[in-house]
Every structure is written in structure tokens, then in C-alpha cells.
Amino acid sequence: MNEQAISRPDDSTRSCPPTEALHSAEVFDGEPGCISQARALADRFLARLVSEWMAVLGTHTRNDLMLAVSELVTNADRYSHGPYLLELEGTAERISITVYDSSSALPVFYAPDPSRLGGHGMEIVVALCDRVTAERVPVGKRIRAEFTLSS
């Protein structure tokens, strides 16, 4: 864990949800424990989103979000050759999980196949979220998983 940036709303005691999104991001260097640190960051982010933005997260949605963070960060840890960035953004209506890493190789999205050994990470992420995008960026690639929250 190298850097962290968190933005806070101007007034966290408002009675209605803010119009700006909550942001949290952290750079990980691939050292042992990074994946659990990323999950801890996501857990703190979700707690703040519920308390400050009044987001409604059911147990199923929370577990899906945490699993998506685990899968995306594990892929970045496994396949990139350098640090990677986990960025979380959310409102009461939606959450996005974005991972930037140094590899420009885009992930392969396999069709579901229970007999295939490995390669199920992105299959899981696609099944959990409402939208997944992957694109090359100047530093490597960016993968974003988006969730729409029910109110």
C-alpha cells in the first residue's frame, strides 16, 4: 500500500443524499497482503457509502461487490508487472470498481464452462455486476465493474 486519497462531502450531517460521488482509491505494490488490504478499503468505502450517502446495500449486493473487488485486484496482482490502483466511486444509486494496472493485455472473457480449469475471474465479475468495461490506457489498462443499487 503506497498511496491513498479519499474525498469527503462538505457536510456529512445532511439529511438527503449528496449529489457528488464518494471516492476512494489506493495504490498497491503487489506485496503479500495487498488483496486483503484492497478488500478492507472496499469494506470501509461501503460503510461510508451507507452512512454518508444513505446507500441501501443488501447482504447479497455487498457480497457481490466484495467478490468483484477480490477478483479484479487478484487479476491485477497476478498479471501486471508493477503497482496497480483500485478506485471506488459511488452514490446512493450506483457503485463502480475500477482497477488500473501496468499490463496492456486486455482480459479474456470466456463463456461459462465448468470443465475449464482457471480463467473464471472475469466470468464471475461479469455475472455479478451490471456492466464491465476493459480498455487500454497510457499506463496499461483499466477495468471497470459497475453496479446499480436498488432503492
Side-chain angles (χ1 to χ4, degrees):
M1 163 171 57
N2 297 334
E3 299 176 27
Q4 182 175 11
I6 299 175
S7 64
R8 296 182 181 268
D10 292 336
D11 181 7
S12 62
T13 60
R14 292 184 247 186
S15 62
C16 61
T19 57
E20 296 177 10
L22 176 67
H23 295 272
S24 186
E26 194 164 328
V27 174
F28 297 95
D29 57 11
E31 292 296 316
C34 283
I35 296 166
S36 65
Q37 291 170 2
R39 286 179 55 82
L41 176 71
D43 190 49
R44 290 189 305 271
F45 174 82
L46 293 175
R48 286 188 60 209
L49 198 62
V50 168
S51 67
E52 296 174 22
W53 265 251
M54 294 171 260
V56 177
L57 294 179
T59 302
H60 183 69
T61 302
R62 185 185 181 289
N63 291 341
D64 288 353
L65 288 158
M66 294 300 287
L67 182 54
V69 166
S70 294
E71 291 296 335
L72 292 173
V73 170
T74 297
N75 284 351
D77 192 66
R78 181 174 293 158
Y79 299 114
S80 70
H81 305 288
Y84 50 92
L85 170 71
L86 169 63
E87 181 180 69
L88 304 160
E89 180 179 35
T91 66
E93 293 83 31
R94 63 167 187 78
I95 297 174
S96 67
I97 302 163
T98 306
V99 176
Y100 294 84
D101 69 47
S102 61
S103 171
S104 62
L106 294 176
V108 177
F109 294 91
Y110 295 108
D113 180 358
S115 65
R116 183 181 64 248
L117 297 177
H120 295 282
M122 290 308 297
E123 178 184 338
I124 292 168
V125 173
V126 167
L128 295 174
C129 68
D130 296 300
R131 182 173 186 238
V132 177
T133 58
E135 61 185 331
R136 288 184 182 89
V137 293
V139 298
K141 72 173 163 291
R142 170 178 54 210
I143 301 174
R144 177 173 290 139
E146 299 174 9
F147 293 81
T148 301
L149 303 178
S150 55
S151 44

